[in-house]
Amino acid sequence: SSAVGKILYQHSSNSMQLNTLSSERMRIASNGDIKLMGGNQMTNALSWYNTTAYELASIENVSHSSYNDSGGLVFKTAGLSNSGMAERMRIDSSGNVGIGNASPQVNFVVGDGTNGTGLEVTPNESSGYVNMNAYDRGSSAWRTMNIGGDVVTLNTGGTVRMRIDGSGRVGINRTPAISNSKLEVGGADNVPLINVEASGTTGGIGVGSSKVQIFHGTSAKLFLTSDGSLGINESVPTGKLHVRDNNFAGYMGIFSQGGTGGGNHGMYI
């Protein structure tokens, strides 16, 4: 029969060939490289079996749908109780890796096994950042990303910048340590550490010199000391309320009652 198997040594190339059904299936090259030959798709090209002939795992090669000279690898394992082989991981012809996803569209995807919702990681060398997204390619929809841990930290430049501890306290540039606090921000003295902005105007709050300070832009306007004294444009209040106006012209303070403008009823200083 012409459909025979054989082992052939090729003196011209100093290689060993293994044939089945009169076709070459494997070659050991002169440098020791092993080449598996089997066409554009070699189902179960390399398989593992147990002693009862159940297939346990395999590695297959797959070619690009349009280009026979570009290939990928598919890794399969058997489920429990001989429930059959299933794809677990794939490296496609462009180098994208999919775990639980047979059609990875970015560099690394961990999916749910249905080619739907997955965690996608995409390095962007030209922009100098890495994208990490929870995305459903099947329905082109963003999904919720949950990050769990006893303590969750966010780092930049190898330094912890934000920390969420087990009680839900958030620390930015500091480890949260105040028992009833929910947000703690650390930083330099006498600068606005927390800011709000609208229409180009910013306002913020900071601490320094044992005082809480309220800022307009980067200029501190209100100072609350540890003994409860309040200074307006006065960083060292000498009474419980100390107002300073270095450009005094007219009233320094107006205390009024009523609607808008208050009808200017009250005390003028």
Side-chain angles (χ1 to χ4, degrees):
S1 171
S2 59
V4 295
K6 62 182 178 181
I7 300 175
L8 175 66
Y9 188 83
Q10 290 281 9
H11 289 277
S12 59
S13 60
N14 289 320
S15 63
M16 181 76 74
Q17 294 179 208
L18 281 78
N19 294 22
T20 62
L21 296 177
S22 299
S23 295
E24 182 179 353
R25 306 301 185 186
M26 187 176 78
R27 176 179 300 202
I28 304 175
S30 59
N31 63 355
D33 288 349
I34 298 176
K35 302 178 181 180
L36 302 178
M37 328 286 280
N40 295 334
Q41 180 160 356
M42 298 168 60
T43 303
N44 301 336
L46 183 61
S47 298
W48 288 262
Y49 288 80
N50 64 12
T51 56
T52 56
Y54 287 133
E55 188 176 15
L56 303 178
S58 70
I59 301 175
E60 305 174 5
N61 85 307
V62 289
S63 65
H64 191 279
S65 58
S66 302
Y67 305 97
N68 292 334
D69 59 350
S70 61
L73 290 175
V74 173
F75 299 79
K76 295 182 177 181
T77 63
L80 295 175
S81 302
N82 193 32
S83 58
M85 298 284 288
E87 178 178 334
R88 310 301 183 185
M89 186 176 78
R90 173 182 296 248
I91 306 174
D92 69 12
S93 57
S94 63
N96 293 339
V97 177
I99 298 176
N101 186 297
S103 182
Q105 300 299 304
V106 298
N107 297 76
F108 182 68
V109 179
V110 179
D112 60 2
T114 66
N115 296 329
T117 299
L119 173 66
E120 301 184 351
V121 179
T122 312
N124 190 322
E125 182 64 29
S126 61
S127 300
Y129 59 79
V130 175
N131 287 326
M132 185 168 63
N133 302 315
Y135 194 70
D136 187 335
R137 290 283 170 180
S139 58
S140 299
W142 296 98
R143 300 303 186 195
T144 301
M145 181 183 294
N146 293 321
I147 300 175
D150 178 52
V151 174
V152 175
T153 63
L154 297 179
N155 298 12
T156 62
T159 300
V160 175
R161 305 300 185 183
M162 187 173 79
R163 180 186 301 266
I164 305 174
D165 69 12
S167 64
R169 298 179 301 183
V170 178
I172 300 175
N173 278 337
R174 65 173 275 119
T175 298
I178 303 173
S179 59
N180 294 318
S181 173
K182 291 303 179 185
L183 175 63
E184 300 178 30
V185 180
D189 288 350
N190 304 312
V191 295
L193 298 177
I194 300 176
N195 287 278
V196 293
E197 183 276 335
S199 302
T201 298
T202 62
I205 185 171
V207 293
S209 304
S210 301
K211 305 179 187 70
V212 176
Q213 303 175 23
I214 303 297
F215 290 78
H216 184 280
T218 58
S219 178
K221 302 300 183 181
L222 276 75
F223 303 83
L224 180 63
T225 67
S226 59
D227 67 358
S229 298
L230 177 64
I232 301 176
N233 283 330
E234 175 54 62
S235 62
V236 186
T238 57
K240 289 303 179 183
L241 176 62
H242 189 156
V243 181
R244 177 182 294 278
D245 186 351
N246 293 324
N247 300 308
F248 176 76
Y251 300 117
M252 182 178 294
I254 300 176
F255 299 84
S256 62
Q257 181 179 4
T260 302
N264 291 335
H265 301 297
M267 180 172 59
Y268 302 78
I269 302 175

